[in-house]
Amino acid sequence: MSRSGMQQVNGGLATAFVEALGRIATGVTVVSSVQTSGSADGGPGGPDGAAAATGWVAQTVSAMCSVSMEPPLILVCVHRRSPINAVIERSGVFCVSALATQHDHVADTFAGRPWPGKDRWDFTCGHWEAAPSGAPRLTDALAAFDCAVHSVVAAGTHLVYLGAVREVVRGTGAPLVYANRGYAAPSPVPPSRFSEFPDAHPDNRFNPAMPTSTAMTSTAPTSTAPTGTAPTGTAMTRTAMTSNNTEVTR
């Protein structure tokens, strides 16, 4: 096959790959880290960035999942071009804040698509605190995982970071979901029914507190203006991991 023919085949595969992935719903997270001083290039944490004084950097990421329960490990995939890679390499730490439905503006800001009045990677889009590692953590995150870098795998266009979880923070709310190039929120799906098999149904799925399958319902951007103040009525539970991986909840 000619080189042009190979390019057409590869181009077709790439298009199909991207379109197929777009049909898979994922959670939305912000991966963050901390540097000791602002970078000289004016990027996130640089002299003209909103986080220059703190040395905080962050990037919106949808590729995040659990890896191991013992020890507790998670992974995140970050594009090689993201400025956060150099910071994570130097600091050896990162924190993952899982976003709730009120955080669509936070997701856009750290994806480089800030809303009017905000800059890219602008930490004034929400209320943040320093996790024990020093990396920034969204105070009203649905969940947050403070990590030390366990290992890094280079894979194509991305770097895959495995993180050893040192502290977990659990909040409240509904998860922000990304699917079909837009944000969505999960809603319970009733069990399937089959007339020829009337007894074929999982009773546990009738419990509304424990839905095991979800459907996507579109959500419009929230009307609440992003502020730097802490939201009220948010319950947070922190669980730290000791050196022998036992949990200490406070």
Side-chain angles (χ1 to χ4, degrees), residues 114-195:
W115 290 14
K118 296 295 180 181
D119 297 320
R120 293 188 299 171
W121 307 297
D122 189 341
F123 280 89
T124 65
C125 69
H127 193 273
W128 301 80
E129 64 182 3
S133 67
R137 176 171 61 197
L138 192 62
T139 58
D140 63 333
L142 190 66
F145 306 86
D146 195 32
C147 302
V149 174
H150 176 277
S151 56
V152 185
V153 178
T157 57
H158 284 63
L159 296 177
V160 182
Y161 293 95
L162 272 69
V165 178
R166 297 298 183 234
E167 183 180 74
V168 177
V169 174
R170 291 163 288 174
T172 58
L176 183 65
V177 175
Y178 189 77
N180 294 320
R181 299 184 179 181
Y183 296 126
S187 61
V189 173
S192 301
R193 289 290 189 171
F194 304 94
S195 57

Side-chain angles (χ1 to χ4, degrees), residues 23-228:
R23 300 183 181 187
I24 301 173
T26 65
V28 185
T29 71
V30 171
V31 177
S32 58
S33 190
V34 61
Q35 55 188 358
T36 55
S37 62
S39 61
D41 60 5
D48 57 357
T54 61
W56 288 353
V57 295
Q59 179 75 52
T60 299
V61 169
S62 59
M64 174 267 182
C65 68
S66 62
V67 175
S68 167
M69 294 293 292
E70 185 62 38
L73 299 173
I74 62 172
L75 72 77
V76 294
C77 299
V78 180
H79 200 286
R80 287 176 181 264
R81 293 199 301 261
S82 175
I84 199 174
N85 291 306
V87 179
I88 295 176
E89 181 180 1
R90 289 194 295 268
S91 68
V93 298
F94 64 89
C95 186
V96 179
S97 297
L99 304 187
T101 50
Q102 72 269 25
H103 296 134
D104 51 338
H105 63 287
V106 177
D108 282 344
T109 296
F110 291 102
R113 302 185 300 270
W115 290 14
K118 296 295 180 181
D119 297 320
R120 293 188 299 171
W121 307 297
D122 189 341
F123 280 89
T124 65
C125 69
H127 193 273
W128 301 80
E129 64 182 3
S133 67
R137 176 171 61 197
L138 192 62
T139 58
D140 63 333
L142 190 66
F145 306 86
D146 195 32
C147 302
V149 174
H150 176 277
S151 56
V152 185
V153 178
T157 57
H158 284 63
L159 296 177
V160 182
Y161 293 95
L162 272 69
V165 178
R166 297 298 183 234
E167 183 180 74
V168 177
V169 174
R170 291 163 288 174
T172 58
L176 183 65
V177 175
Y178 189 77
N180 294 320
R181 299 184 179 181
Y183 296 126
S187 61
V189 173
S192 301
R193 289 290 189 171
F194 304 94
S195 57
E196 63 272 34
F197 302 106
D199 294 329
H201 58 84
D203 290 335
N204 62 302
R205 287 184 60 193
F206 286 101
N207 181 353
M210 295 286 290
T212 57
S213 181
T214 58
M216 296 301 108
T217 57
S218 297
T219 59
T222 59
S223 59
T224 303
T227 66

